Every structure is written in structure tokens, then in C-alpha cells.
Amino acid sequence: MATARSFSGTEARQLLRRVRTATLSTLNREDGIPYGSLVNLATDVTGWPLILVSSLAWHTRNLLADARASLLVAEPPASGDALTGPRVTVMGQFTRVEEEGLKRRYLACHPQAAAYAGFGDFAFWRLEPLRIHAVAGFGRIETMEADEVFPSANGMIALEESAIQHMNKHQSDAIDRLATRLGYETEGWRVETIDSDGIILVKGQTSIRSNFTEAVYSESSLEQAIWKF
């Protein structure tokens, strides 16, 4: 019988969903010394990290020479020792991606990036995870393989676009009510992403995420989760 994790793969993935920035570590193309930089972060439906970077940046030049890299995300407490907060490092290999659905998901997290996402020197990259190291305080340290943190979400990948269209066309009032419950009182919100862990609503330059009470991976469970909103 497997021992229960002190910090689960689901918790690690949900942290990646919540945070908006990460520390990207690449291998310097000139001498191989690790180089750390700050990037804005989004995730695909499965939870794999997405970034948008310029070809002029050191980290992009490093990735073009050696795609191996890691991303560190953290959620420090409001006060006290920052090391008591959870943090997750995803190690793997980056690949440049061009799918419109991934662009939509990134811009849902960072609407302001639409101003430069179309520039010729910018491109989207996705990290394919190989190993994940998570720390959530004293004694809560786990190293996990990718499939434990990112289980297959093929069903949700197939459902996402049609579910988004359905909600925006037929459930606009429910979307606005959800935004109100989250502390936003204006109308005109749209669903821009749906994944196994929750949805993102966008209005203008404002983006808000609402999480499901538990991960969903099928059409029926997605319907139940949405009705709970």
C-alpha cells in the first residue's frame, strides 16, 4: 500500500494554476552556468507550464541552445518566514508551441500581454515536465514523477472549447453571478479557459480564476462542477 504524500501531486498542480509568475532557470549557452529570470506563467489544460518570451532575452537564447530548464513557483505567507510557504519546482524540457488554444489560455491569465504577444520576436513555450520537487514547510517535501502531478486530461482537452462556447452563449448570467461572488460586481464577464481544476473569467484587462472543489476529468463531472458555481 502506497504511503500518503505529505504534499500531493494535485496540490502541486493547483499551486501552478494559482500563481502568476515563476522563476525560470536555464543553462547559459556560453558557459552552462544556471541563469535565473522572472517570467509570467500560465498552464495548459493538463497543467503543463506556459510562458511567453522574447527571442532577445537571455533565457530564450539559452532554451534555443539547450531546452532543459526548470520553473520554480512559490506562495510565501503574508508575513513571517517565506520558507514556510509552499513552493514547487518543475524540471523538464521546453518546446516552442503555436496552438491558438494555448495562446488563449496564456492571455486569459495575462490579458495585458495581448499588446505584445503578436510581435515577431515573441513566442510561446511549454515545459514538458519530467520531475517535480515540492516543499510545503518543515517535513513536507516530496519528489514526484510527472504523471502523478499531471494525470492525463485528454477528455478535458477535447471538451474545453465547446464548453467555453456553451457557457458564454447560454450561461452569461451565471458567469456574472460567479464574478460577483468572487468580489467583482460588474457585468460582461466571459469564460476564457476551463481545465480539470477550474475556470478563468476575463473582462477587459482583469482576469480571475475560480477553482472547482475537486478535479474533474469528464463531461458529466464538469457539468456537476459548473452547477455548483
Side-chain angles (χ1 to χ4, degrees), residues 44-134:
D44 69 5
V45 177
T46 304
W48 291 10
L50 295 170
I51 60 174
L52 173 64
V53 290
S54 169
S55 60
L56 302 177
W58 274 22
H59 46 233
T60 308
R61 296 179 181 183
N62 292 342
L63 290 175
L64 289 169
D66 189 333
R68 293 176 298 169
S70 69
L71 278 170
L72 166 67
V73 298
E75 201 169 51
S79 61
D81 189 349
L83 296 182
T84 61
R87 58 266 194 199
V88 171
T89 300
V90 183
M91 295 162 276
Q93 186 161 313
F94 271 96
T95 303
R96 182 170 172 170
V97 291
E98 298 181 356
E99 291 94 325
E100 282 299 313
L102 298 180
K103 177 180 178 180
R104 168 178 49 75
R105 290 189 62 88
Y106 183 91
L107 294 180
C109 290
H110 306 285
Q112 72 285 350
Y116 54 84
F119 290 179
D121 63 306
F122 276 84
F124 293 94
W125 292 71
R126 175 168 58 187
L127 178 60
E128 179 177 356
L130 297 177
R131 190 170 298 106
I132 296 87
H133 187 68

Side-chain angles (χ1 to χ4, degrees), residues 163-192 194 199-202 208 210 212 222-229:
I164 289 172
Q165 292 173 9
H166 174 80
M167 290 192 70
N168 286 329
K169 184 176 181 179
H170 300 290
Q171 300 186 33
S172 58
D173 289 344
I175 295 168
D176 287 338
R177 286 196 300 271
L178 172 59
T180 299
R181 288 201 300 273
L182 295 172
Y184 298 81
E185 297 182 356
T186 57
E187 299 178 347
W189 292 87
R190 290 179 55 82
V191 175
E192 288 294 334
I194 299 176
I199 68 175
I200 291 178
L201 308 182
V202 174
I208 54 177
S210 180
F212 302 139
L222 175 60
E223 290 177 352
Q224 293 175 8
I226 289 173
W227 274 114
K228 292 179 181 179
F229 283 152

Side-chain angles (χ1 to χ4, degrees), residues 4 11 13 21 45-47 55 74 76 82 96 102 119 123 130 137 140 147 156 158 178 203 206 209 213 219 228-229:
E11 289 176 299
R13 185 183 67 254
T21 60
V45 177
T46 304
S55 60
R96 182 170 172 170
L102 298 180
F119 290 179
L130 297 177
R140 298 184 65 195
D147 59 358
M156 291 299 297
L178 172 59
K203 178 179 171 62
T206 303
R209 182 174 179 91
T213 55
E219 183 173 6
K228 292 179 181 179
F229 283 152

